Amino acid sequence: MTTTVPSSHETATPSSSTLASTSSDDLTLCTFYVGEQLFGVEVSSVQEVIKNLNITEVPLADESVRGLINLRGQIVTAIDLKQRIEGTPSQNPENLVNLIVRTTDGLASLLVDRIGDVRVFNQSDSESVPPNLSSNLKSIAIETFRSGDELLVNLNTKNAVSLNRDPS
Amino acid sequence: MNNEELMIRNEFVSESLEHLTTVESLLVAYESDSNSLDSKAINRVFRSVHSIKGAAGFLAFRNIESLSHRAEEVLNALREGTLAPSSGMIDGLLNSIDRLKEMIEDLDKSESVDISGELALLERVLANDPIASAGATETTSESTSQDSSLASNPIKIANKCSPEALREFIVEYQENLEQVEKDLVNLERDLDNAEILNSVFRSVHTIKGSAGFLAFHVTESIAHAAESVLGDVRSHKIAFNSDIATTLFSTIDFMRVLLRSIEQFAEEKVPLDQGLLNRLRAFEYANQQDNRPTPIAPINPSQPKTEPLNSAVTVAKPAGEIIPKPSHPSEVPAPTISESTIRVDVALLDRIMTQVGELVLARNQILQYSNNSVSTSLQKATQRLNQITSELQESVMKTRMQPIGNVWSKFPRLVRDLASNFGKEVRIEMEGKDTELDKTIIEAIKDPLTHLVRNSIDHGIEHPDERSRNGKSREGVLYLRAFHESGQVVIEIIDDGKGLRIDRIRDKAIEKGLLTAESASKMSEQEISQLIFLPGFSTAERVSNVSGRGVGMDVVKTNIERIGGSIELTTAAGNGTTFRIKIPLTLAIVPALIVTHLGNRYAIPQANLLELVHFSREDSNFRLEWIQNSAVFRLRGKLLPIVFLSEIFKRSVDRNQTNVNIVVVAADGKEFGLVVDTINDSEEIVVKPLGQNIHTIEAYSGATIMGDGNVALILDIQGVCKMSGVAAVAKTLTQESTTRLTTADQQETYLVLESTTQQRRAVALHQVARLEKVQRSRLEASNERPVMQYRGEIIPLIFLDQIEDRELKLDEEHLANLVVSEVDGKPFGVIVHSIVDTQKANCVPFASPQGYVVGNTVINGRVTDVLDLTLMLQGEAL
């Protein structure tokens, strides 16, 4: 993987927390809310956004797995992102939005509260993930960006959908 | 061997392999670009081979040393310019390198590897012999005339042929080889069968013709030699014997090697096996020396020999067709095949299959909407859609179907080779070769079947002497049978060998700690024989190279169960063993029972399903009994372990459910009852893979999409069985039931019924075809007599309580217990209040005014009247 860190990089971020998959400095993110927090994932990894899909519960699955959805004949695992990040289930399961993302292991759905805009960020504005975030969030966060008066956390979709259950 | 030696050896291996890889890549590079083999490259190759030679000599690996020495000589000649690089030379070198690799990878065996072929080949390269470099022509003076005839033959058109023609040739080649192989096995049994002989001859001839046409000279030469031998046999100049057969089998093997080479490289990279050719010629020679000292006529060598055949062999028509063929090259690739069939990529078929699966789901959804709709035109259109979809699904499934004969076709040869290997005489018989199975299933059963066949010959069928001592024919029979049975395919592998030694299996199981001596003594022979499917179980006293390594039967069983099949065996000491495999027709679409539990639907594959039991809490005859935290249910006198799906899902279990629905299932040969909330319906479901993070959960084998578009999980009954810990319980239960059954051997088994007034009655179980729960609403009337629709028929009903002037009571679910019986093949039903149990008992017969009460007996401490259902129906009809 090539990591292009622009020379104009001002913040003294160690390159380990920055990642750029495009050769340009621009990063296009699909933004969304879980609770009141703004998140983003790279727009190229998003296949589509769907509301109102019936979810079939899967007993015995990881608690972050809300269930299975039928995406035009393909069966896709839906992950409650709030549960994944905060360890508590979403308050309004009825109104969650399926953010269908492509990962190397196939499709997965991230259940989020609300979809935001598609925004373009400059790599040079990337800031490292604050160390005081919950360990769950840190394990899937790549970096943060300032978006208006909000802080956006850019998520790694592959990590977000892979639930490597802790031995504890 | 001490450490230092080991180190040196290891170093030699890794170093030599590295050298060989370099050499190989340089040689292969030459093939694509002849300029790449410059003096620098040759030097590198030379040095690499030289170091291998040196090291091998030092470590005293003589075989490796001599082969690398010879290769070095060739390379030296190349380096010094006395030999020019040619493709024949490169082939020879590559061959040697492959062999060297093989030897170096397994040093201990390297001394026993036969390298004479490679050595000879390199020798020929060194001698600058055109055979090696051309790789196809022959040297003997006798064959020169043939070669010239072939060369001047008009069918030799071009070296390059179109890819289509090549593919067709390969397929045809393959098919013909298989045909020849099959025929030869048969011919060995039936030496005088002119028809089989003709078929062999035709196939070989076709191969020769097509190979000649496409300029595959090695194939052509060897096929020609084989054809000549066969021609002589046909014209009764020589007698067919097992030597000829063996040589012809070797010829087929050699042709397979050629075929593989043609498949891979579109050319024959294998030099002509001169030894084989000479062996073939030897048969022919014998004939020529006896009858016809003149050399073979140069035009078409097969012609003079086939000529007298018309009179000698009854089935002469094919021979007449064959002879002129080579002069009409356009006819050689059979045109009829290409016209009536096309070859389709399997991936495309898979895609079509998936799409049809989707269509089926969409159809189901539309069906649901249209059923709720009032528009008749919509309903009509949906009906049509429904029908077309079903037909399409069936047709698409058919495209993936292959006859099981495709797998079996390899067995006659296998059986022949194995039998001669073990010094046994075995005949193979097959029935139902055309039984079709999905391609994926065919592939999945290939290995298990091969294993079972090997096993039968190795362990099952005895040596001829032993057989004749036991009054059997010297020749053992292996019988393969395939047929359809209730939506599944049954494959039986039957041998008439010595059967399983039950006592030895029992001892072995006890010795291995799989059983205690006490529990073993309670098991029936049938149960003990199934123990051979346990992992690590093998009674073979010696390990043969064929079977008996203890990794056999359990793998066979797992592989078959993986595709939703099952295997069981029956054996009779001295009379043989039968393996019976049941497998589904297809994996993509399976019938399943849909149940609802905790608000979600789940599918249970029909393959696991035995029966359904429903009862309510008020029903005093049925209840779940608890042994601490485990529930059991007495089903027809047998204790059935009960598993709550809630328990599997780690949810709380309601012990006091008012209605209990039990799905009786079997997995791994264990039966248990799965308690679910509601039992819905049977459906054909399309199996889909599970998404991420879920496929690791043992309880599910996949998912499907229901008619309403929602996802339902498919329960993996084997997984559920494991999770529930039923495995251990089930064993003790079967033992209990078998002991009870054996004590009551001589008695008849009765189905015990109870009336609303708790009066007990019994019906001989052989009169009972089925037991079912039916909805009250299904009970109808015709001509003032009660009837119901049952499996597409209207069957008469008898209300047992009513004919005894008692009030008929149905439970609050409006379900009635139906006992289906048959008289003269026609079913009729008896509605009874409740079914209690099945029990063995001795009936004391007496005559009664009602006629249908034929006796009484004591069952479970209660006097029970024995009824004859047939007499009862006759009494009703009067």
Side-chain angles (χ1 to χ4, degrees):
Chain A
M1 185 180 293
T2 54
T3 307
T4 50
V5 180
S7 53
S8 61
H9 206 282
E10 286 172 356
T11 50
T13 324
S15 59
S16 65
S17 65
T18 53
L19 179 141
S21 51
T22 52
S23 53
S24 78
D25 287 357
D26 285 342
L27 192 61
T28 315
L29 297 183
C30 172
T31 70
F32 55 89
Y33 289 88
V34 174
E36 291 308 308
Q37 175 61 48
L38 183 62
F39 291 97
V41 290
E42 253 188 84
V43 82
S44 60
S45 70
V46 177
Q47 173 172 308
E48 60 190 296
V49 173
I50 307 185
K51 282 186 189 177
N52 302 326
L53 274 184
N54 282 336
I55 297 183
T56 303
E57 179 199 359
V58 182
L60 301 175
D62 187 285
E63 54 184 8
S64 299
V65 173
R66 171 72 58 172
L68 297 174
I69 56 169
N70 168 15
L71 186 73
R72 291 185 301 278
Q74 194 175 353
I75 289 170
V76 173
T77 308
I79 289 159
D80 185 340
L81 204 54
K82 186 173 166 69
Q83 176 81 49
R84 177 83 179 89
I85 292 169
E86 297 173 19
T88 54
S90 281
Q91 307 305 309
N92 55 343
E94 306 301 312
N95 301 322
L96 292 177
V97 182
N98 288 282
L99 182 72
I100 311 289
V101 293
R102 279 185 290 260
T103 74
T104 45
D105 299 322
L107 293 180
S109 162
L110 294 175
L111 292 171
V112 303
D113 285 312
R114 192 151 55 87
I115 295 287
D117 310 329
V118 171
R119 291 183 209 172
V120 180
F121 295 91
N122 194 287
Q123 276 293 349
S124 58
D125 296 331
S126 163
E127 286 174 281
S128 67
V129 177
N132 58 345
L133 295 185
S134 77
S135 62
N136 276 349
L137 183 51
K138 265 192 292 187
S139 68
I140 62 174
I142 302 168
E143 64 204 327
T144 61
F145 288 103
R146 176 148 296 282
S147 170
D149 53 1
E150 288 173 296
L151 260 184
L152 174 144
V153 182
N154 183 17
L155 298 182
N156 178 329
T157 47
K158 187 176 164 54
N159 290 352
V161 300
S162 65
L163 308 170
N164 297 323
R165 274 178 259 190
D166 295 328
S168 63
Chain B
M1 196 186 308
N2 64 31
N3 265 345
E4 202 174 322
E5 265 178 55
L6 199 67
M7 254 172 62
I8 293 172
R9 267 177 73 135
N10 287 344
E11 211 164 283
F12 166 65
V13 170
S14 56
E15 202 180 280
S16 304
L17 288 179
E18 243 168 68
H19 280 310
L20 288 177
T21 316
T22 321
V23 171
E24 199 173 11
S25 60
L26 287 170
L27 290 179
V28 172
Y30 163 76
E31 287 215 301
S32 49
D33 173 15
S34 52
N35 294 326
S36 72
L37 207 62
D38 53 17
S39 66
K40 210 170 132 200
I42 295 171
N43 271 330
R44 261 182 83 189
V45 173
F46 179 80
R47 270 200 307 278
S48 294
V49 175
H50 182 79
S51 358
I52 295 172
K53 185 190 89 171
F58 174 66
L59 293 168
F61 292 113
R62 298 284 163 235
N63 252 349
I64 300 176
E65 189 191 8
S66 51
L67 185 54
S68 44
H69 175 70
R70 197 57 54 80
E72 192 192 349
E73 279 178 7
V74 172
L75 289 163
N76 199 32
L78 188 63
R79 201 161 68 140
E80 287 169 5
T82 51
L83 272 182
S86 68
S87 67
M89 173 196 276
I90 303 291
D91 280 351
L93 286 171
L94 282 173
N95 267 349
S96 307
I97 282 171
D98 287 346
R99 194 41 73 91
L100 280 172
K101 246 191 203 160
E102 195 183 305
M103 288 194 285
I104 288 165
E105 270 161 357
D106 195 351
L107 279 178
D108 292 325
K109 294 215 185 89
S110 69
E111 287 307 274
S112 54
V113 173
D114 177 18
I115 54 166
S116 53
E118 279 79 8
L119 285 178
L121 192 62
L122 290 177
E123 197 99 60
R124 265 181 266 152
V125 171
L126 267 179
N128 205 3
D129 190 323
I131 307 165
S133 23
T137 42
E138 306 135 329
T139 37
T140 51
S141 60
E142 190 266 334
S143 65
T144 335
S145 59
Q146 283 180 19
D147 285 342
S148 58
S149 77
L150 287 172
S152 59
N153 200 317
I155 58 175
K156 188 185 175 186
I157 289 174
N159 275 316
K160 299 254 181 219
C161 53
S162 71
E164 291 80 29
L166 184 63
R167 214 175 309 134
E168 203 167 299
F169 170 69
I170 289 169
V171 170
E172 191 189 70
Y173 198 164
Q174 173 95 38
E175 283 167 358
N176 275 313
L177 281 183
E178 272 167 26
Q179 185 65 39
V180 171
E181 192 160 54
K182 210 163 67 194
D183 287 342
L184 279 178
V185 173
N186 290 333
L187 197 59
E188 257 192 312
R189 289 186 189 294
D190 192 359
L191 294 177
D192 301 323
N193 192 325
E195 210 168 315
I196 302 177
L197 185 61
N198 272 333
S199 165
V200 177
F201 185 87
R202 268 202 305 276
S203 304
V204 173
H205 185 85
T206 313
I207 294 176
K208 185 190 92 171
S210 313
F213 177 59
L214 295 173
F216 291 118
H217 294 304
V218 183
T219 300
E220 191 186 5
S221 312
I222 204 87
H224 174 74
E227 188 193 8
S228 303
V229 174
L230 287 164
D232 285 357
V233 175
R234 241 169 41 142
S235 50
H236 297 290
K237 285 186 192 143
I238 53 171
F240 190 74
N241 58 32
S242 64
D243 285 346
I244 295 182
T246 309
T247 312
L248 288 174
F249 276 126
S250 314
T251 310
I252 294 168
D253 289 340
F254 178 63
M255 283 174 152
R256 285 234 161 85
V257 176
L258 290 169
L259 176 61
R260 260 204 301 283
S261 162
I262 294 172
E263 261 180 312
Q264 277 177 358
F265 310 108
E267 59 178 293
E268 290 167 319
K269 292 205 168 192
V270 186
L272 184 63
D273 187 337
Q274 205 64 45
L276 183 65
L277 192 69
N278 290 339
R279 278 213 302 288
L280 280 171
R281 290 242 169 89
F283 295 115
E284 201 182 333
Y285 268 20
N287 161 54
Q288 283 177 5
Q289 278 154 8
D290 292 340
N291 299 335
R292 199 185 269 248
T294 43
I296 301 168
I299 311 296
N300 188 338
S302 66
Q303 203 162 1
K305 270 176 265 125
T306 46
E307 238 171 17
L309 173 104
N310 289 346
S311 54
V313 181
T314 42
V315 189
K317 189 176 161 261
E321 281 177 351
I322 286 168
I323 297 160
K325 245 187 174 177
S327 53
H328 301 289
S330 60
E331 276 177 25
V332 173
T336 46
I337 298 168
S338 59
E339 275 163 20
S340 63
T341 62
I342 51 164
R343 290 177 196 277
V344 182
D345 192 356
V346 176
L348 175 64
L349 283 185
D350 286 343
R351 217 156 51 234
I352 296 174
M353 190 71 195
T354 324
Q355 283 159 353
V356 168
E358 290 311 309
L359 185 65
V360 168
L361 292 173
R363 187 263 326 253
N364 291 352
Q365 268 168 288
I366 288 182
L367 272 182
Q368 277 197 348
Y369 289 124
S370 97
N371 284 344
N372 301 331
S373 145
V374 282
S375 154
T376 45
S377 56
L378 173 65
Q379 286 189 343
K380 259 190 210 154
T382 333
Q383 277 303 321
R384 219 172 122 61
L385 174 72
N386 186 8
Q387 200 182 342
I388 294 170
T389 313
S390 302
E391 280 166 16
L392 178 64
Q393 184 185 344
E394 208 171 292
S395 312
V396 171
M397 302 255 280
K398 267 201 197 127
T399 62
R400 292 170 49 94
M401 291 294 196
Q402 290 187 321
I404 193 157
N406 286 7
V407 183
W408 284 2
S409 63
K410 308 218 162 33
F411 289 163
R413 172 79 189 271
L414 179 76
V415 168
R416 178 197 183 270
D417 288 357
L418 285 175
S420 66
N421 206 355
F422 292 121
K424 296 180 180 178
E425 289 172 24
V426 186
R427 173 163 49 103
I428 184 165
E429 285 185 11
M430 303 189 221
E431 186 188 319
K433 265 188 247 184
D434 302 331
T435 311
E436 288 191 319
L437 279 168
D438 192 278
K439 191 180 144 38
T440 45
I441 293 190
I442 291 268
E443 268 156 28
I445 58 165
K446 204 181 275 173
D447 287 349
L449 279 184
T450 310
H451 194 94
L452 289 172
V453 167
R454 282 165 180 266
N455 216 61
S456 288
I457 293 165
D458 190 5
H459 300 311
I461 291 171
E462 316 91 324
H463 280 272
D465 297 341
E466 196 184 333
R467 288 180 66 90
S468 50
R469 262 205 308 281
N470 294 330
K472 294 181 178 178
S473 63
R474 288 178 64 84
E475 189 181 53
V477 180
L478 184 70
Y479 189 57
L480 298 181
R481 207 153 82 98
F483 53 94
H484 287 272
E485 190 184 83
S486 53
Q488 287 187 310
V489 170
V490 179
I491 305 169
E492 289 179 339
I493 296 123
I494 304 163
D495 68 61
D496 68 343
K498 55 179 177 278
L500 292 176
R501 295 268 305 271
I502 298 293
D503 51 336
R504 230 164 68 194
I505 296 173
R506 184 188 293 131
D507 294 348
K508 199 86 177 185
I510 294 169
E511 180 195 314
K512 297 210 168 182
L514 302 165
L515 272 183
T516 62
E518 198 211 339
S519 58
S521 65
K522 288 183 189 158
M523 285 169 78
S524 69
E525 297 206 335
Q526 173 68 20
E527 282 173 301
I528 287 171
S529 63
Q530 312 298 325
L531 291 174
I532 65 160
F533 293 118
L534 291 178
F537 193 92
S538 173
T539 59
E541 272 140 19
R542 76 206 144 74
V543 170
S544 70
N545 62 349
V546 176
S547 46
R549 286 174 197 278
V551 287
M553 287 306 183
D554 63 312
V555 179
V556 169
K557 191 177 160 79
T558 352
N559 283 344
I560 288 169
E561 282 177 353
R562 194 171 294 149
I563 52 167
S566 64
I567 179 167
E568 58 186 44
L569 74 92
T570 47
T571 182
N575 287 327
T577 311
T578 299
F579 287 95
R580 198 179 156 89
I581 301 172
K582 277 190 191 174
I583 36 180
L585 284 171
T586 174
L587 291 180
I589 298 179
V590 297
L593 179 78
I594 310 297
V595 301
T596 308
H597 194 73
L598 302 170
N600 286 317
R601 280 169 302 181
Y602 298 92
I604 299 172
Q606 201 91 51
N608 295 109
L609 203 61
L610 294 178
E611 61 182 305
L612 305 175
V613 176
H614 163 90
F615 59 89
S616 65
R617 227 182 127 198
E618 282 75 41
D619 196 338
S620 55
N621 295 304
F622 295 107
R623 61 193 182 91
L624 297 180
E625 292 169 274
W626 292 83
I627 304 170
Q628 294 189 313
N629 281 324
S630 309
V632 289
F633 177 72
R634 189 169 284 277
L635 181 69
R636 290 191 289 280
K638 228 167 129 182
L639 275 186
L640 184 74
I642 293 294
V643 175
F644 288 86
L645 193 52
S646 298
E647 193 184 336
I648 296 293
F649 290 163
K650 301 199 168 72
R651 308 281 164 84
S652 64
V653 174
D654 175 14
R655 287 193 179 199
N656 299 312
Q657 289 165 282
T658 46
N659 281 302
V660 181
N661 284 303
I662 303 174
V663 182
V664 184
V665 289
D668 287 331
K670 284 141 204 147
E671 293 178 16
F672 64 97
L674 190 65
V675 176
V676 299
D677 290 350
T678 324
I679 292 168
N680 305 3
D681 213 347
S682 280
E683 240 176 77
E684 299 253 300
I685 59 166
V686 179
V687 179
K688 296 188 166 273
L690 285 167
Q692 297 185 52
N693 296 312
I694 294 177
H695 57 262
T696 48
I697 303 172
E698 228 177 347
Y700 315 120
S701 60
T704 188
I705 293 167
M706 304 301 298
D708 60 4
N710 285 344
V711 179
L713 288 157
I714 302 169
L715 290 180
D716 181 345
I717 295 299
Q718 254 156 296
V720 169
C721 178
K722 265 188 228 153
M723 292 166 80
S724 66
V726 155
V729 188
K731 212 172 177 179
T732 54
L733 285 172
T734 41
Q735 280 161 27
E736 183 200 302
S737 61
T738 46
T739 45
R740 209 183 36 202
L741 285 173
T742 44
T743 56
D745 246 356
Q746 306 306 314
Q747 303 160 320
E748 175 120 36
T749 311
Y750 290 97
L751 179 72
V752 184
L753 312 169
E754 202 173 71
S755 72
T756 39
T757 52
Q758 259 100 65
Q759 168 82 43
R760 289 277 174 114
R761 268 88 52 97
V763 175
L765 201 58
H766 68 78
Q767 288 198 331
V768 178
R770 285 178 76 89
L771 298 178
E772 279 192 21
K773 291 259 186 189
V774 294
Q775 295 280 336
R776 179 72 183 85
S777 56
R778 281 180 62 192
L779 309 180
E780 297 173 79
S782 161
N783 192 20
E784 294 182 0
R785 287 188 184 274
V787 292
M788 73 174 286
Q789 298 170 34
Y790 184 76
R791 300 187 171 192
E793 278 182 82
I794 298 172
I795 64 167
L797 288 178
I798 301 168
F799 290 84
L800 186 54
D801 283 303
Q802 274 179 353
I803 64 166
E804 302 202 328
D805 294 325
R806 294 188 193 91
E807 191 193 346
L808 174 74
K809 278 190 197 160
L810 297 168
D811 63 29
E812 85 271 21
E813 287 276 289
H814 302 296
L815 286 172
N817 284 303
L818 172 72
V819 178
V820 182
S821 183
E822 274 181 10
V823 58
D824 299 333
K826 290 212 165 74
F828 66 97
V830 181
I831 301 290
V832 300
H833 173 66
S834 72
I835 295 163
V836 183
D837 206 348
T838 57
Q839 280 286 320
K840 295 220 171 203
N842 286 314
C843 170
V844 182
F846 58 74
S848 73
Q850 294 97 329
Y852 58 82
V853 180
V854 293
N856 64 8
T857 183
V858 176
I859 293 174
N860 289 350
R862 291 180 59 177
V863 173
T864 307
D865 282 346
V866 177
L867 312 179
D868 185 316
L869 292 182
T870 319
L871 292 175
M872 188 185 283
L873 180 75
Q874 286 160 1
E876 274 296 276
L878 288 173

